[in-house]
Amino acid sequence: MKKFRKVICAALTGAMMLSMAACGSNSTSTTGASGGGDTTAPAAPSGGTIKVGVVNNPPSESGYREANVKDMESVFSKENGYELKTSYSLKNDEQLQAAQGFITEGVDYLLISAAETTGWDEVLKKAKESGIKVYLFDRMIDVSDDLYEAAVVSDMAAEGNTAVKWLLDQNLPEYNVIHIQGAMGSDAQIGRTGALDEQFASGKMKKVVQQTATWDEAEAKKIVESVINSGESFNVIYAENDGMAKGAVAALDEAGITHGVDGKVIVMGFDCNKWALRELLAKKWNYDGQCSPFQAQIISDLIKSGKAPSSKKIINEEKGFDAKTITQDDIDKYGLGE
């Protein structure tokens, strides 16, 4: 009898071990960053809810960012099977701290739109060690691409090149430029600045002033007011987002300086808010560069596919709009907000 009990116990122990091994099979490894093949890791934990931590700039930064934040909150919703945690800051150190907090909390995915391109190596290494997958959105950062799954971004350098090419095509007798920059060190600022800096260096364009307003309308107004008060001549305002262009125009209006099509000063902005595109349609501005804020659904599709993306960098297609050719249909189709 004792011998029979020992046999039964051994059989039960073996069955339990097989069962445990079977449960453990859900955590098999995924393909490497450069593999591009299928992954056997599940998109969501066994509970079914996917925990996502989003580190982003605040919606108050601009109309673009407001649309971007709403897009993230809409896609990564409870109804779509997500538990969303968010942190908003324009300061890189605060973003880094928030990302570390999400890692400690144990999110499944970490999504980042960085305030600055540098300083992210250690945090992303920690995420990788913790088994947390990282997606970049909106902006690139300077890290090895094995530290993130994919980057769904705008090509900020292409945005700058498109805008500067348009400006050169205006064939002005001279280019005296007020350059109002976004938050220094951000991918958007670096990209939109680069092409213009090349023109300054070549001597084709003159840098009247180049100063950051950190995306802020009121600060942009002050910059232009200062140049007006100095008496220095200018005929182009190149503002790296619509809000700063709006502030610049307010300073022109108060000083009685004409702008837009057939005006004294060419006005250029970025982001394609509907209200900004209406300024083009009214011929009060001259150019607006598109920057798409809609990356959430692309990332969600990648997460739920359970497969490694075929490309590390996914670029949103974008264009620039000219006041002389823009239509109401363009505003309805490409404009952000109301």
Side-chain angles (χ1 to χ4, degrees):
M1 188 67 178
K2 287 182 179 180
K3 183 176 181 181
F4 177 73
R5 286 177 181 171
K6 287 181 180 179
V7 171
I8 293 296
C9 288
L12 288 172
T13 300
M16 290 174 64
M17 290 177 69
L18 286 171
S19 175
M20 291 173 66
C23 292
S25 66
N26 285 334
S27 60
T28 52
S29 62
T30 64
T31 57
S34 60
D38 290 353
T39 173
T40 54
S46 57
T49 301
I50 305 170
K51 297 179 182 179
V52 174
V54 175
V55 178
N56 202 351
N57 295 264
S60 60
E61 175 203 75
S62 62
Y64 168 91
R65 191 61 56 182
E66 182 179 6
N68 181 253
V69 168
K70 286 181 179 178
D71 184 48
M72 287 285 163
E73 292 176 348
S74 174
V75 171
F76 295 107
S77 64
K78 183 178 180 181
E79 292 74 16
N80 290 336
Y82 293 99
E83 179 184 338
L84 178 65
K85 301 174 183 291
T86 59
S87 178
Y88 304 114
S89 179
L90 283 170
K91 297 180 178 179
N92 213 51
D93 57 344
E94 291 180 357
Q95 287 193 334
L96 289 165
Q97 186 176 2
Q100 182 60 63
F102 289 148
I103 293 169
T104 301
E105 289 181 46
V107 297
D108 302 304
Y109 295 88
L110 182 60
L111 280 52
I112 301 169
S113 177
E116 297 180 19
T117 58
T118 58
W120 286 91
D121 297 77
E122 293 307 313
V123 168
L124 265 59
K125 287 177 183 176
K126 181 65 176 177
K128 186 174 183 178
E129 291 169 1
S130 302
I132 297 169
K133 294 184 178 181
V134 174
Y135 284 90
L136 309 183
F137 67 94
D138 174 46
R139 302 170 173 179
M140 293 298 297
I141 55 179
D142 294 334
V143 295
S144 172
D145 67 7
D146 68 336
L147 295 179
Y148 59 87
E149 294 297 299
V152 184
V153 295
S154 295
D155 189 335
M156 302 298 184
E159 289 179 8
N161 289 332
T162 300
V164 170
K165 182 182 183 301
W166 175 90
L167 185 54
L168 289 169
D169 287 345
Q170 305 314 298
N171 295 314
L172 303 181
E174 59 182 8
Y175 290 87
N176 299 312
V177 183
I178 293 177
H179 180 195
I180 307 174
Q181 296 169 292
M184 300 303 291
S186 67
D187 191 42
Q189 177 272 313
I190 292 169
R192 294 171 189 173
T193 290
L196 198 56
D197 272 348
E198 290 178 7
Q199 298 304 315
F200 292 149
S202 72
K204 179 69 175 179
M205 298 182 185
K206 178 185 176 182
K207 184 195 308 179
V208 175
V209 67
Q210 184 181 61
Q211 187 175 332
T212 181
T214 320
W215 311 122
D216 186 72
E217 179 181 330
E219 286 302 311
K221 183 172 184 281
K222 291 178 183 177
I223 291 170
V224 176
E225 286 174 338
S226 178
V227 177
I228 293 170
N229 292 335
S230 75
E232 188 165 1
S233 177
F234 63 93
N235 63 342
V236 176
I237 291 176
Y238 181 105
E240 292 183 355
N241 82 344
D242 289 340
M244 296 189 298
K246 184 179 182 181
V249 167
L252 296 179
D253 286 341
E254 289 181 8
I257 299 172
T258 60
H259 50 85
V261 177
D262 298 326
K264 181 181 177 181
V265 179
I266 284 178
V267 176
M268 304 174 67
F270 289 86
D271 290 349
C272 288
N273 291 283
K274 281 186 177 178
W275 61 262
L277 294 181
R278 291 188 192 109
E279 294 296 303
L280 266 71
L281 191 63
K283 305 294 190 288
K284 295 178 181 178
W285 292 18
N286 302 81
Y287 176 91
D288 206 40
Q290 186 187 15
C291 187
S292 174
F294 305 117
Q295 302 103 21
Q297 189 60 55
I298 297 171
I299 296 173
S300 178
D301 289 345
L302 289 170
I303 288 173
K304 291 190 173 183
S305 74
K307 297 180 180 180
S310 59
S311 175
K312 278 286 183 178
K313 195 172 184 179
I314 301 168
I315 302 293
N316 289 322
E317 291 186 13
E318 296 164 340
K319 61 177 71 178
F321 293 94
D322 186 324
K324 294 179 181 178
T325 57
I326 193 171
T327 66
Q328 183 61 49
D329 286 343
D330 290 328
I331 297 174
D332 294 339
K333 182 175 182 180
Y334 299 105
L336 303 179
E338 296 301 330

